[in-house]
């Protein structure tokens, strides 16, 4: 059951688990000019912002990134977009809906920002079949409790669509980051299907507490447990016990392509947890890598 040692080993490893493909609930595709800017940001500012260099692993064309995902047998994925300022949410959502329509394996997604027209473009996206929403509290700089967003949270909850929300303090604090802040939204909208991006890093234990209190709160694995984040966001000492009590609430996420290590490393970290505890094992892996994200995205896996 040992995890893949490199990207070439990923597809055979998935097959050995009896899975048809991976379902990645947290990766990114952006309009090309925006993608280049994000990569430049990591090049120029990661050291100042995060205290470490951030060499992008998959800095290739969109076509080549899609080819990498095919080689890795990432059969279904949620391409996530997020605005860093007002006025971008509508066109970014339109862009990603169009991207999903022309890209096999990509599910339609939407994004939100605390701005007056958010319910209008979110409503249109949900009506058009968006199956996942991205919310980035740190990059956006908005307050999840902003009254402009209250109706949007309600719409997402009513639609039963998962919102992948980056609301933790890692890798850098934002004006309104913090799981305590986001919990105020959960109190108002307790049926919200929220996926805490990066397992709420660095407050992973608090994220698990929220998953225990709110049955529709999930954690994604993005950058969790890999060597790159071990220093800034170590796993809690009771990590394996907590996973064993919430195995259906953990979903695969990776942040492909803007990660500073190979995709296989994330899978190896997850495999390491499964292997370290008899309560986890292969059933846990099948849940995290395929069944749990499929359930959230409402994929028909009967075929
Ligand atoms: Zn991300």
């Amino acid at each position: 059951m040992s995890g893949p040692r490199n990207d070439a080993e990923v597809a055979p490893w998935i097959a050995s688990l009896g899975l048809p493909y991976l379902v990645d609930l947290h990766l990114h595709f952006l309009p090309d000019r925006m993608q280049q800017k994000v990569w430049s940001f990591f090049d120029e500012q990661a050291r100042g912002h995060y205290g470490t260099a951030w060499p992008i692993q998959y800095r290739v064309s969109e076509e080549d990134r899609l080819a990498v995902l095919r080689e890795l047998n990432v059969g279904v994925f949620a391409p996530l977009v997020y605005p860093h300022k007002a006025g971008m949410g509508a066109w970014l959502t339109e862009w990603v809906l169009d991207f999903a329509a022309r890209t096999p394996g990509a599910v339609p997604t939407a994004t939100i920002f605390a701005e007056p027209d958010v319910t209008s473009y979110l409503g249109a996206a949900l009506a058009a079949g968006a199956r996942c929403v991205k919310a980035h509290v740190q990059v956006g700089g908005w307050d999840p409790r902003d009254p402009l967003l209250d109706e949007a949270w309600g719409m997402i909850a009513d639609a039963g669509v998962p919102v992948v929300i980056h609301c933790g303090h890692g890798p850098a604090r934002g004006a309104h980051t913090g799981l305590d802040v986001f919990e105020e939204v959960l109190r108002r909208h307790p049926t919200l299907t929220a996926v805490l991006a990066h397992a709420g890093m660095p407050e992973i234990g608090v994220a698990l507490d929220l998953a225990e209190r709110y049955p529709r709160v999930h954690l994604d694995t993005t950058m969790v447990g890999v060597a790159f984040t071990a220093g800034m966001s170590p796993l809690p000492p009771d990590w394996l016990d907590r996973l064993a009590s919430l195995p259906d609430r953990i979903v695969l996420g990776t942040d492909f392509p803007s990660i500073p290590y190979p995709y296989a490393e994330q899978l190896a970290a997850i495999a390491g947890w499964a292997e370290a505890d008899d309560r986890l094992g292969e059933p846990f892996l099948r849940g995290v890598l395929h069944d749990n994200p499929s359930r959230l995205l409402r994929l028909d896996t009967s075929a």
Side-chain angles (χ1 to χ4, degrees), residues 26 28 134 198 222 255:
H26 180 163
H28 298 286
K134 172 65 172 178
H198 309 281
T222 308
D255 252 354

Side-chain angles (χ1 to χ4, degrees), residues 74 101 175 202 214 255 259:
V74 178
Y214 298 90
D255 252 354
I259 38 177

Side-chain angles (χ1 to χ4, degrees), residues 5 14 102 112 247 275 282-283:
R5 286 169 298 186
I14 297 163
R102 65 182 158 83
I112 58 172
E275 208 165 20
E282 290 197 9

Side-chain angles (χ1 to χ4, degrees), residues 14-182:
I14 297 163
S16 77
L17 294 169
L19 292 176
Y21 49 76
L22 295 173
V23 180
D24 190 333
L25 198 73
H26 180 163
L27 54 70
H28 298 286
F29 279 88
L30 291 168
D32 193 51
R33 278 190 53 207
M34 208 174 160
Q35 183 66 75
Q36 298 298 333
K37 279 187 189 160
V38 167
W39 285 341
S40 301
F41 173 86
F42 281 115
D43 290 346
E44 293 156 19
Q45 303 197 37
R47 203 174 282 280
H49 258 74
Y50 310 135
T52 179
W54 197 298
I56 305 296
Q57 187 79 23
Y58 300 99
R59 188 193 298 250
V60 292
S61 69
E62 180 183 294
E63 194 186 335
D64 287 350
R65 275 175 269 140
L66 290 168
V68 170
L69 292 178
R70 280 194 299 275
E71 302 245 309
L72 292 165
N73 197 12
V74 178
V76 178
F77 57 91
L80 303 179
V81 298
Y82 49 91
H84 61 276
K85 59 182 184 194
M88 295 171 66
W91 73 260
L92 260 180
T93 295
E94 276 170 32
W95 180 87
V96 78
L97 286 171
D98 177 68
F99 170 83
R102 65 182 158 83
T103 307
V107 301
T109 71
T111 191
I112 58 172
F113 194 93
E115 56 191 338
D117 63 339
V118 62
T119 48
S120 142
Y121 63 78
L122 174 65
L126 291 171
R131 289 170 182 239
C132 187
V133 177
K134 172 65 172 178
H136 207 312
V137 174
Q138 185 225 326
V139 166
W142 41 264
D143 189 329
R145 301 163 297 190
D146 192 316
L148 284 169
L149 286 171
D150 194 49
E151 194 183 339
W153 296 127
M155 290 164 68
I156 297 168
D158 291 347
V161 162
V163 55
V164 178
I165 179 158
H166 185 133
C167 58
H169 292 307
R173 275 177 186 262
H176 306 285
T177 53
L179 298 177
D180 54 336
V181 175
F182 182 62

